[in-house]
């Protein structure tokens, strides 16, 4: 597939967002100052350059919390996320400054409650509310359209706010208006089913004339995945190259900030200079990791970290052979051939060499840090947790980490992983670990653990309510007593067994999420999703998506078994909706690749994205995955976001 076709959807989304943004700036006449929420800087940088923004009447740009001198001649435009706490604080600040001609732009959509807040604060008529719905899917790569909004996870799952569910449905409606109707909608999880119902009602009100198919890229299937179905994978240490870079440096909207001290002199020349003394000592260079800007990264991002060095060395050897070929060509080349070689071959050669050298420096730094942090031992602990082995040794290791007062997010990661994989912790173990955590890190962390419990990430082991069959008529005499006694014994038995095995452990065996040793050593000619975690674990989210695409009947049987076993919160495992015209479209396009849009409600990790990319490459039908997560995060950023939430 050519680059032009690959980037067709992403370029169209980027063009729509840029046009709407500039149209909004032009609608505010005169000189204006732009205030941007800190969470939106990666999104704005991806959409447009600062020089383009200044060309549309913007005099200065500030952070949202900045308080510059009031200039009554300039209008103010605030770009912010629709957060109630931030919006109320901003409204109070605007009233205190007593400035008019204020435009509040909510990205991607405004809430109706904002109008009530403006009226209560006495700002109705002085402030104008706007929204930019085209910012709901920001193209990070040709197959990744992210909202880049990590607060949505807490808003939906912690605050139980349903506002964002309708927002997600509206985003998918706008997507279909540009790129055609979905022929099939697969919802995995309770909240995903709610979004699917919102989407079905909204799309039924739109005529076919209002929906156009853009070019050749028609998304056939959309999969809505509820994050609560898989709380284990986000807390596993990522082992693919892209996931490790995100954990160590933090990738924001496809941009990787790299300390120039770990790079060679050639790369450090591109670092941004700053007047700040600390930044001068440790300057940061921001590089783009899209497959268009970095062709080397596009080939190694899904690889297990142990294979990255081999791939880079093989590419360097290939570059050396090209250099020898250039020497032979220079001897017999004329002036026109030399000009062509300098403009094309030599330019590509120099660019590839620079990228290879950069990735070699980055991977060396990551390997050095991982070795210093006893990463191998932590991987063994995580493997024991996933395989439900050596529980006491795992608890002892986590307790030792807490007592040594290491970075508190490291033991919290293992605690959340242990709790999610085992349906919670035994009460005695939970109390001992929490007490030690408070002694080591302070009792100000009580709200953090409370939020983790509310999010079902760290809690006491809960029993599973197995359904018991109630007799329709009473049986007199001794038979009734025997029946009652048997029922009582069965309930006690199920309560004891249910505490030792939860939803994940059942799915682990049912879907073969942890291949045994014999399966791990078998060489496979095609990429496998287990390679993301070193052939020890297949992400549950990716396996459920695979089952939904290959065998919907097997998924239906799985849902029935889950319901019978009484796993609380997993009753609505999946729902599927197929349009009437899907069979006709499938018959006409049986030879074309299946295009799938996966929407992660609550966010996902780079490991899950790359696992699905490997799944698409392993299929003979050439599945092409597109991703629309609400955010892409790591367990460290997620825990920090939970701690800082209000």
């Amino acid at each position: 597939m050519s680059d032009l076709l690959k980037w067709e959807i992403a370029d169209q989304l980027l063009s729509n967002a840029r046009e709407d943004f500039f149209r909004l700036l032009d609608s505010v006449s005169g000189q204006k100052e732009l205030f941007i929420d800190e969470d939106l800087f990666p999104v704005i940088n991806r959409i447009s350059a600062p020089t383009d923004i200044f060309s549309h009447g913007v005099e200065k740009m500030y952070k949202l919390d900045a308080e510059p001198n009031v200039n009554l001649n300039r209008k103010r435009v605030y770009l912010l996320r629709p957060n109630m706490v931030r919006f109320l604080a901003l409204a109070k600040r605007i009233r205190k400054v007593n400035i008019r001609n204020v435009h509040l732009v909510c990205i991607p959509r405004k809430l109706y409650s904002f109008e009530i807040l403006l009226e209560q604060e006495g700002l109705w008529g002085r402030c104008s509310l706007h929204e930019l719905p085209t910012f709901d899917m920001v193209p990070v790569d040709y197959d990744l359209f992210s909202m880049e909004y990590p607060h949505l996870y807490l808003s939906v799952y912690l605050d139980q706010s349903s506002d964002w569910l309708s927002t997600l449905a509206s985003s998918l409606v706008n997507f279909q208006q540009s790129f055609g109707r979905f022929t099939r909608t697969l919802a995995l999880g309770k909240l995903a089913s709610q979004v699917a119902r919102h989407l079905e009602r909204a799309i039924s009100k739109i005529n076919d004339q209002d929906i156009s198919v853009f070019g050749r890229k028609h998304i056939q299937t959309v999969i809505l995945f509820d994050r609560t179905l898989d709380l284990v994978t986000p807390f596993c240490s990522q082992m693919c190259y892209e996931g490790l870079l995100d954990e160590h440096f933090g990738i924001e909207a496809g941009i990787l900030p790299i300390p120039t001290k770990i790079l060679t002199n050639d790369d450090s020349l591109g670092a941004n200079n700053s007047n700040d003394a600390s930044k001068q000592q440790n300057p940061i260079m921001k590089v783009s990791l899209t497959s268009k800007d970095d062709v080397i990264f596009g080939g190694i991002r899904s690889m297990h970290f142990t294979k990255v060095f081999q791939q880079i060395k093989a590419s360097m050897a290939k570059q050396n052979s090209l250099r020898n070929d250039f020497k032979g060509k220079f001897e017999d080349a004329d002036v026109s051939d030399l000009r062509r070689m300098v403009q094309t071959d030599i330019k590509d050669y120099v660019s590839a060499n620079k990228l290879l050298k950069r990735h070699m420096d980055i991977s060396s730094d990551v390997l050095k840090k991982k070795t210093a942090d006893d990463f191998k031992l932590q991987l063994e602990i995580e493997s024991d947790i996933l395989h439900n082995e050596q529980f006491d040794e795992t608890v002892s290791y986590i307790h030792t980490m807490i007592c040594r007062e290491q970075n508190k997010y490291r033991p919290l990661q293992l605690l959340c992983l242990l709790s999610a994989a085992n349906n919670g912790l035994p009460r005695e173990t939970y109390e001992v670990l929490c007490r030690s955590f408070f002694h080591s890190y302070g009792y100000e962390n009580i709200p953090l653990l409370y939020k983790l419990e509310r999010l079902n990430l760290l809690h006491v082991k809960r029993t599973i309510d197995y359904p018991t069959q109630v007799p329709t008529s009473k049986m007199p005499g001794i038979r009734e007593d025997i029946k009652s006694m048997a029922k009582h014994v069965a309930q006690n038995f199920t309560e004891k067994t249910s505490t030792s095995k939860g939803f994940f452990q059942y799915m682990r065996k049912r879907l073969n999420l942890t291949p045994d040793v014999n399966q791990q050593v078998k060489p496979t000619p095609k990429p496998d999703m287990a390679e993301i975690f070193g052939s020890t674990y297949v992400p549950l989210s990716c396996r459920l998506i695979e089952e939904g695409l290959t065998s919907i009947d097997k998924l239906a049987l799985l849902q029935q078994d889950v319901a019978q076993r009484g796993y609380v919160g997993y009753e609505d495992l999946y729902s599927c909706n197929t349009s009437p015209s899907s069979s006709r479209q499938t018959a006409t396009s049986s030879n074309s690749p299946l295009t799938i849009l996966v929407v992660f409600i609550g966010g996902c990790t780079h490991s899950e994205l790359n696992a699905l990319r490997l799944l698409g490459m392993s299929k003979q039908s050439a599945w092409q995955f597109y991703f629309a997560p609400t955010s892409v995060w790591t367990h460290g950023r997620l825990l920090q976001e939970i701690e800082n939430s209000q």
Side-chain angles (χ1 to χ4, degrees), residues 41 72 113 128 212 269 293 332 379 410 442-443 494 532 568 604:
F41 276 107
L72 299 179
S113 55
S128 301
S212 60
L269 291 176
D293 300 329
D332 301 330
L379 290 180
R410 289 191 62 194
Y443 283 89
T494 54
I532 293 297
V568 181
C604 67

Side-chain angles (χ1 to χ4, degrees), residues 307-455:
K307 300 179 181 179
V308 172
F309 277 105
Q310 300 176 1
Q311 182 65 28
I312 293 179
K313 289 181 179 178
S315 300
M316 285 185 171
K318 185 178 180 181
Q319 290 294 108
N320 293 333
S321 63
L322 287 177
R323 182 179 59 184
N324 296 331
D325 293 341
F326 289 150
K327 292 181 179 179
K329 292 180 180 179
F330 282 146
E331 295 177 357
D332 301 330
D334 54 12
V335 177
S336 61
D337 292 336
L338 289 175
R339 185 182 294 110
R340 179 186 56 80
M341 291 177 61
V342 170
Q343 293 177 351
T344 57
D345 298 340
I346 302 299
K347 183 179 179 181
D348 295 339
Y349 170 80
V350 172
S351 177
N353 264 354
K354 184 177 180 180
L355 293 175
L356 286 171
K357 191 180 299 183
R358 177 189 300 167
H359 285 292
M360 179 62 76
D361 294 336
I362 294 174
S363 56
S364 300
D365 183 73
V366 172
L367 180 61
K368 189 185 304 181
K369 293 179 180 178
K370 285 297 183 183
T371 305
D373 293 340
D374 297 331
F375 188 57
K376 184 177 180 180
L377 179 59
Q378 180 162 343
L379 290 180
E380 294 177 357
I381 296 296
E382 292 181 9
S383 179
D384 292 338
I385 294 175
L386 294 175
H387 289 81
N388 196 21
E389 298 174 350
Q390 300 183 356
F391 181 83
D392 295 336
E393 289 78 359
T394 300
V395 173
S396 177
Y397 177 78
I398 298 175
H399 191 264
T400 303
M401 292 177 64
I402 295 175
C403 294
R404 290 178 178 177
E405 297 185 4
Q406 297 184 6
N407 183 1
K408 65 179 180 181
Y409 296 123
R410 289 191 62 194
L412 273 181
Q413 172 202 351
L414 294 178
L415 280 174
C416 293
L417 179 62
L418 185 64
S419 176
N422 294 277
N423 189 35
L425 303 177
R427 181 170 295 278
E428 182 179 357
T429 303
Y430 178 82
E431 292 177 353
V432 170
L433 291 175
C434 288
R435 190 182 303 115
S436 300
F437 190 86
F438 294 145
H439 287 167
S440 297
Y441 303 105
Y443 283 89
E444 59 270 15
N445 291 284
I446 291 179
L448 172 59
L449 296 190
Y450 171 74
K451 295 172 187 175
L452 292 176
E453 184 178 2
R454 286 281 306 275
L455 291 169

Side-chain angles (χ1 to χ4, degrees), residues 394-528:
T394 300
V395 173
S396 177
Y397 177 78
I398 298 175
H399 191 264
T400 303
M401 292 177 64
I402 295 175
C403 294
R404 290 178 178 177
E405 297 185 4
Q406 297 184 6
N407 183 1
K408 65 179 180 181
Y409 296 123
R410 289 191 62 194
L412 273 181
Q413 172 202 351
L414 294 178
L415 280 174
C416 293
L417 179 62
L418 185 64
S419 176
N422 294 277
N423 189 35
L425 303 177
R427 181 170 295 278
E428 182 179 357
T429 303
Y430 178 82
E431 292 177 353
V432 170
L433 291 175
C434 288
R435 190 182 303 115
S436 300
F437 190 86
F438 294 145
H439 287 167
S440 297
Y441 303 105
Y443 283 89
E444 59 270 15
N445 291 284
I446 291 179
L448 172 59
L449 296 190
Y450 171 74
K451 295 172 187 175
L452 292 176
E453 184 178 2
R454 286 281 306 275
L455 291 169
N456 206 29
L457 296 177
L458 178 60
H459 57 83
V460 178
K461 190 178 286 290
R462 299 161 184 169
T463 59
I464 302 174
D465 185 15
Y466 281 78
T468 57
Q469 187 175 3
V470 181
T472 56
S473 61
K474 289 187 177 181
M475 294 177 290
I478 190 171
R479 295 183 62 185
E480 182 179 1
D481 296 337
I482 294 176
K483 186 70 176 179
S484 177
M485 185 182 301
K487 180 179 178 181
H488 180 69
V489 172
Q491 287 179 345
N492 291 336
F493 176 76
T494 54
E495 286 180 359
K496 292 180 180 180
T497 57
S498 63
T499 58
S500 62
K501 183 178 180 181
F503 174 75
F504 174 76
Q505 296 301 332
Y506 170 73
M507 301 296 285
R508 178 178 69 87
K509 295 184 178 180
R510 181 67 180 269
L511 299 178
N512 192 25
L513 300 181
T514 53
D516 55 28
V517 179
N518 295 329
Q519 291 175 320
Q520 293 176 24
V521 298
K522 288 182 179 179
T524 55
K526 298 180 181 179
D528 186 76

